[in-house]
Amino acid sequence: MRCQSKKNRGRCYRIIFVVASFLLTMALSGCGSFWDVAPEDILSETEAEEDLIVVGFSQLGSESLWRSANSESIQGTLTRENGFFLEFNNARQKQENQIKAIRGFISQRVDYIIFSPVTEDGWETVLQEAKDADIPVILVDRKASVSDDSLYTAWVGSDMHKEGEKAAIWLEDYLIETGREDEQINIVVLQGTVGSSAQIERTAGFNAIASSHPEWHIRAQESADFTTAKGKEVMEQLLAKFPDIDVIISQNDDMTFGALQALEENGISTGVNGDVVLISFDAVYDALELVSEGIINVDIECNPEQGEYIMELIRKLENGEAVEKENCVEEKVFTQENVDQYLGMRTY
Ligand code: AHR
């Protein structure tokens, strides 16, 4: 391997680092002389290191079942068996933690950085640093709003605007089917983390269609940060303020679980035969069971299984092939009519 190219330089540095650490450990440990170690042993360590593609992954947190499934998909795909060495960092919902992790990956000179931006803004500087170090960055799930899109190589994730539209289209059809299309409809929305792609795009997609329905009234859009605990808390506040809610839109399943607790405590039923229409996003197993039971009317899928897509992209980049800038994963819409055929194969 030649160390002149920027790409190989990172690997060379790591090899030097591994050898140096090894020699230092031997010198300090006093566990036998350096000369007791066969040179082939050092070589095999460095060779193993050299063959792996080193990826630094900054995951934004572990706020939801969806997020855990997303982390598992990536950790389960970028494995040693598949030729990767993955360094995983959980940023616990803090942008500063993500920036710190990314800077760490840059100074380690990893081969690729992948990360899911907690919110869209504030990434220009650190992405410029990655670009200057010639490390390709792949955005996962959420987007980063940057003026120069050459700051990242590609993005893999969901079309969240379309997800929002799907929710509105489902509601249009449902109101027609149930003969309620001329009724005044009061809607409240539990939003995800403010400033995240999921919150921005799902809201925009839904509102784009809602704006052509003067009879739909969006009474409140409150963030519950994608968590069950906040979902319950915010739903309680909304119930106290708005006694006549017709439709609840919850931008993820975890908030839906919390909202359901609050609704139950207030004696309000949801779903197919309930008082309030309940629309959710993600479609994790526990929520799909509630769709099957008729408690959630519709669940708009957000597919967390993105590991294979990322691996495919990296392999192409390794082969010098061009890749698409935007790579959307496939997603469905689940209602009581179709959900049972998918429940059995749901792994998250
Ligand atoms: O960005 C995807 C969203 O983030 C999922 O809908 C939600 O569950 C997660 O926390």
Side-chain angles (χ1 to χ4, degrees), residues 60 63-67 93 116 141-142 160 163 196-198 202 225-226 251-254 281-282 302:
L60 65 89
E63 73 287 0
S64 62
L65 291 170
W66 187 97
R67 187 65 51 199
Q93 300 294 320
S116 180
D141 163 36
R142 297 186 185 169
M160 306 222 193
E163 290 175 359
S196 67
S197 304
R202 285 175 189 160
D225 239 351
F226 287 128
Q251 289 182 345
N252 89 339
D253 286 337
D254 297 74
F281 288 81
D282 281 1
C302 182

Side-chain angles (χ1 to χ4, degrees), residues 1-30:
M1 177 175 59
R2 282 185 293 132
C3 293
Q4 278 87 345
S5 80
K6 263 192 170 177
K7 185 165 167 24
N8 282 342
R9 217 183 300 148
R11 289 180 187 169
C12 290
Y13 284 145
R14 277 196 307 280
I15 291 165
I16 293 164
F17 177 76
V18 168
V19 174
S21 314
F22 182 79
L23 295 179
L24 189 65
T25 309
M26 292 308 297
L28 294 177
S29 66

Side-chain angles (χ1 to χ4, degrees), residues 327-346:
N327 301 272
C328 284
V329 295
E330 283 175 28
E331 303 182 319
K332 298 184 180 57
V333 171
F334 298 104
T335 61
Q336 205 175 29
E337 282 77 55
N338 70 351
V339 72
D340 288 342
Q341 55 183 300
Y342 297 102
L343 252 179
M345 36 180 136
R346 209 49 158 191

Side-chain angles (χ1 to χ4, degrees), residues 15 26 79 96 140 172 186 199 214 220 232 241 257 294 331 344:
I15 291 165
M26 292 308 297
T79 58
E96 72 247 37
V140 180
E172 281 180 328
N186 290 322
Q199 178 264 327
K232 180 169 190 241
K241 260 197 188 156
F257 301 143
E331 303 182 319

